[in-house]
């Protein structure tokens, strides 16, 4: 039997970034988003602010982009910081700066990521650059937040 509804009518609503429905309430929390200057990172920043975060640190290599996102958040919520997420010391500085200027960090969204320039033939330096940003930023952050 063919259902009377079309697929479009029976489809679930579009996915929304909602941390409240995932069981974690960010209201009053201090959140950090790497790669927050654009794309998914910017959307995360806006969702955290909309969900009541007290502070959202927008971290990006491009300080102007991070500042634009921070400025789009409610007054006093956004904090823009420039950092290379492939650098352990840059991430350490972000942690110290956020905790000094805002509050202890409750949420860290390691969202920054970069594409590879080439494939398997790429030089080791390219693989190292990708590995540091896309994988090691989590290790670097954990070392200094735990």
């Amino acid at each position: 039997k063919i259902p009377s509804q079309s697929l479009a009518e029976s489809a679930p609503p579009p996915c929304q970034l909602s941390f409240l429905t995932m069981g974690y309430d960010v209201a009053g929390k201090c959140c950090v988003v790497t790669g927050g200057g654009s794309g998914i990172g910017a959307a995360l920043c806006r969702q955290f602010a909309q969900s009541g975060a007290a502070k959202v640190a927008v971290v990006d290599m491009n300080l102007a982009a991070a500042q634009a996102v921070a400025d789009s958040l409610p007054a006093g919520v956004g904090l823009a910081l420039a950092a290379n997420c492939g650098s352990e010391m840059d991430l350490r500085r972000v942690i110290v700066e956020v905790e000094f200027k805002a509050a202890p960090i409750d949420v860290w969204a390691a969202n920054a990521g970069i594409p590879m320039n080439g494939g398997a033939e790429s030089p080791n330096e390219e693989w190292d650059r990708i590995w540091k940003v896309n994988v090691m930023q989590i290790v670097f952050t954990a070392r200094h937040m735990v």
Side-chain angles (χ1 to χ4, degrees), residues 86-134:
S87 165
E88 183 171 2
M89 289 303 103
D90 259 16
L91 292 172
R92 169 91 175 117
R93 178 187 49 78
V94 166
I95 293 165
V96 170
E97 195 168 342
V98 169
E99 292 189 337
F100 178 77
K101 291 181 176 179
I105 298 167
D106 299 297
V107 175
W108 185 283
N111 170 75
I114 55 176
M116 181 158 209
N117 294 319
E121 77 287 350
S122 296
N124 290 345
E125 295 77 21
E126 178 66 4
W127 282 98
D128 189 49
R129 182 181 76 90
I130 298 300
W131 184 258
K132 283 181 178 174
V133 174
N134 295 351

